[in-house]
Amino acid sequence: MEMQDPRALTERVADLVREGADEDLREVLKEQPAEVLADLLEHADPSSRDTIFSAIEPHLAGETAALVDETVLEDLLEDIPTDQLVEMVSDLEPDEALPLLEEVDAETADAVLRRLDPEDASELRELLGYDEESAGRIMAFGAPAVTEQMTLGEALSHLRAAADELDELQAVFVVDSIGRLRGYLPLDALLLRPAATAVADVMRRDVTFAYTNEDREQAAARAQRSHLLAIPVIDNRGILRGQITQEKLREIAEEEASEDMYHLAGVAEDESVYTSFRQSLQKRLPWLYVNLVTAVLAAWVISLFEGTIEKVAALAALQTIVAGQGGNAGIQALTVTVRALALGDLDWRNSRRTFYKELGLGVANGLAVGLVIGLLVWLWRGNIWMGGVIFAAMLLNMTAAALAGFSVPVLLRALRLDPAQSSGVFVTTVTDVCGFFFFLGLATLFLPYLRGI
């Protein structure tokens, strides 16, 4: 197989596309593995992606499509013929084929499923039936399993006989006669203990598992404490339905972390460097309008104290310090709370303790930062009252920031909304409005002591 530098391969393919050398293009592409082809499609000019994709060998097209970025996959499948999609999906395992069917409309997906092998179609329909964010949606069928009644010799023979139907052998699970999960069988026991040993005598019952309808992020967080390379997925009756490898769970954890980061910044989670200019504009602009509304609200609060600012010009420079520090403190509390909610670490059992902790941190941070800025302003302006005003405003605003950083995502979760989706906007609104109000309001109260500085 001819391996090339990615940049050189990209340039060569681009030249062949421009020249219309379809045969040469197919010859170059058929020598590359799916991972290289996926990288090539992601970095190719969007106008040439369809040409490149159509030149990929049919048996590689499905595997390649399953590896590309979601935005690129959406473009590739936008006008794809059903026959081609059927051929691509039929070469993949159900969990690998799922992203392709998720990108097409329901009618096309149903047409593809009707033309697949009945068993494969049934498994794909089951996966599509689970919620998009559930553990069931990302599981792989073919979890290696033996029964409690077997000996180790019988278990090994059973696994060998079913080798073609099994997914990766990273863990062997133990089920009862009707398929309910009972534990797992350590691989060292399976291979090293006498063949006549009963599975029930060496199996472990302390197995970490996930439910099919469980949120995948919570399942991934819990699985991190498991020493198994794959965790079993069961339905509400306890029947083993599939497995999720730790590698897949790490991918999910990374995706969820990125999604939360995007949401906190007001960016759609499906945006990437491969997203077109128009699509990126459509995804970002609505949140910028929301931020504009909050900025207008903060400006309105400032306008209420125009008379005070006219009399003490220094207030205009100092007010941004109070609001800015409050925003930083709010984002700190918000980030910790959103992560705790996502990982299942924050629930009704420890919510009160966490609330008081964040409240205490807000007060402590407000005192520490307020004392420093109050002293600096006193020395700078030569007026202890101005130092006292900014100290008190900083204390109040950082306390409010801590309360907002904790309460906003908790409230959104209670309303069954994504805590990360709009928490950042609400928290910064609270810290801006409260910061300006506390500082300028206190300055107005003590205005006689601030004149002339």
Side-chain angles (χ1 to χ4, degrees), residues 16-219:
L16 293 175
V17 171
R18 279 194 299 270
E19 296 167 4
D22 296 341
E23 285 298 325
D24 291 338
L25 179 61
R26 278 191 285 271
E27 285 298 317
V28 170
L29 297 181
K30 77 177 184 179
E31 298 176 350
Q32 308 302 326
E35 294 80 2
V36 172
L37 294 175
D39 181 74
L40 176 64
L41 286 168
E42 289 175 345
H43 291 86
D45 187 276
S47 62
S48 64
R49 279 184 187 143
D50 287 340
T51 302
I52 297 172
F53 188 60
S54 62
I56 296 175
E57 293 284 312
H59 70 279
L60 273 177
E63 187 179 352
T64 300
L67 295 174
V68 299
D69 180 84
E70 183 179 343
T71 303
V72 176
L73 179 61
E74 183 179 351
D75 291 340
L76 294 176
L77 301 184
E78 186 173 4
D79 299 312
I80 191 170
T82 302
D83 291 343
Q84 185 179 351
L85 186 56
V86 170
E87 188 174 8
M88 291 165 54
V89 170
S90 62
D91 290 332
L92 300 173
E93 293 296 323
D95 58 312
E96 297 172 333
L98 187 65
L100 277 64
L101 294 182
E102 289 175 331
E103 288 299 331
V104 298
D105 58 79
E107 184 178 346
T108 301
D110 188 61
V112 171
L113 290 171
R114 288 199 303 269
R115 296 172 58 179
L116 293 178
D117 175 81
E119 184 177 349
D120 291 340
S122 176
E123 292 180 345
L124 277 167
R125 289 186 191 278
E126 179 178 343
L127 293 177
L128 288 168
Y130 294 119
D131 183 80
E132 189 173 349
E133 297 296 317
S134 68
R137 191 67 169 257
I138 60 171
M139 72 178 179
F141 292 103
V146 298
T147 65
E148 293 176 290
Q149 294 76 26
M150 291 180 177
T151 64
L152 293 181
E154 291 170 339
L156 193 55
S157 297
H158 171 75
L159 293 172
R160 287 170 176 165
D164 292 340
E165 302 173 7
L166 298 180
D167 197 60
E168 299 178 55
L169 186 62
Q170 300 194 17
V172 176
F173 307 113
V174 180
V175 297
D176 62 17
S177 58
I178 62 173
R180 290 178 299 193
L181 181 67
R182 285 292 177 258
Y184 71 95
L185 182 60
L187 294 179
D188 59 344
L190 175 64
L191 298 174
L192 303 178
R193 299 290 291 270
T197 305
V199 168
D201 292 340
V202 294
M203 65 179 283
R204 296 283 299 272
R205 299 184 184 276
D206 55 333
V207 59
T208 301
F209 61 87
Y211 286 104
T212 53
N213 58 357
E214 182 179 3
D215 182 88
R216 67 178 192 173
E217 188 173 5
Q218 294 182 8

Side-chain angles (χ1 to χ4, degrees), residues 153-432:
E154 291 170 339
L156 193 55
S157 297
H158 171 75
L159 293 172
R160 287 170 176 165
D164 292 340
E165 302 173 7
L166 298 180
D167 197 60
E168 299 178 55
L169 186 62
Q170 300 194 17
V172 176
F173 307 113
V174 180
V175 297
D176 62 17
S177 58
I178 62 173
R180 290 178 299 193
L181 181 67
R182 285 292 177 258
Y184 71 95
L185 182 60
L187 294 179
D188 59 344
L190 175 64
L191 298 174
L192 303 178
R193 299 290 291 270
T197 305
V199 168
D201 292 340
V202 294
M203 65 179 283
R204 296 283 299 272
R205 299 184 184 276
D206 55 333
V207 59
T208 301
F209 61 87
Y211 286 104
T212 53
N213 58 357
E214 182 179 3
D215 182 88
R216 67 178 192 173
E217 188 173 5
Q218 294 182 8
R222 192 170 66 257
Q224 289 179 354
R225 296 187 285 270
S226 173
H227 59 278
L228 295 176
L229 297 178
I231 66 167
V233 182
I234 63 176
D235 61 21
N236 291 332
R237 299 171 299 161
I239 303 295
L240 179 64
R241 298 301 307 153
Q243 68 174 0
I244 309 176
T245 64
Q246 286 285 8
E247 181 181 0
K248 183 68 173 178
L249 290 169
R250 282 193 294 271
E251 291 177 8
I252 296 301
E254 291 174 2
E255 288 177 11
E256 295 292 345
S258 298
E259 181 179 316
D260 289 345
M261 180 180 67
Y262 273 36
H263 283 168
L264 289 172
V267 179
E269 71 271 13
D270 58 348
E271 184 179 350
S272 70
V273 294
Y274 308 114
T275 305
S276 68
F277 174 87
R278 180 179 58 83
Q279 291 174 323
S280 290
L281 183 63
Q282 291 174 340
K283 293 175 187 295
R284 297 187 193 185
L285 195 56
W287 283 110
L288 292 177
Y289 281 137
V290 172
N291 286 331
L292 178 62
V293 172
T294 64
V296 169
L297 179 60
W300 174 74
V301 172
I302 295 174
S303 71
L304 298 177
F305 300 95
E306 286 181 351
T308 301
I309 297 174
E310 288 177 358
K311 295 170 183 174
V312 185
L315 297 175
L318 296 174
Q319 65 186 3
T320 58
I321 298 176
V322 179
Q325 285 297 101
N328 292 335
I331 292 300
Q332 286 179 338
L334 172 64
T335 302
V336 172
T337 304
V338 168
R339 184 177 185 275
L341 287 171
L343 298 179
D345 294 337
L346 179 61
D347 55 27
W348 62 270
R349 294 171 297 182
N350 61 353
S351 59
R352 179 176 296 184
R353 183 174 70 250
T354 306
F355 171 80
Y356 285 124
K357 173 192 170 184
E358 290 299 334
L359 176 60
L361 285 170
V363 173
N365 287 331
L367 287 170
V369 176
L371 282 172
V372 172
I373 189 63
L375 180 61
L376 290 175
V377 169
W378 177 19
L379 295 175
W380 176 38
R381 307 303 299 186
N383 186 297
I384 192 172
W385 292 99
M386 177 65 83
V389 165
I390 198 169
F391 162 75
M394 188 70 75
L395 172 61
L396 291 172
N397 196 35
M398 294 191 77
T399 302
L403 293 176
F406 174 85
S407 303
V408 169
V410 170
L411 178 60
L412 290 175
R413 170 57 65 88
L415 296 174
R416 298 186 181 279
L417 299 174
D418 185 352
Q421 181 65 61
S422 50
S423 294
V425 174
F426 292 134
V427 170
T428 54
T429 299
V430 170
T431 56
D432 285 350

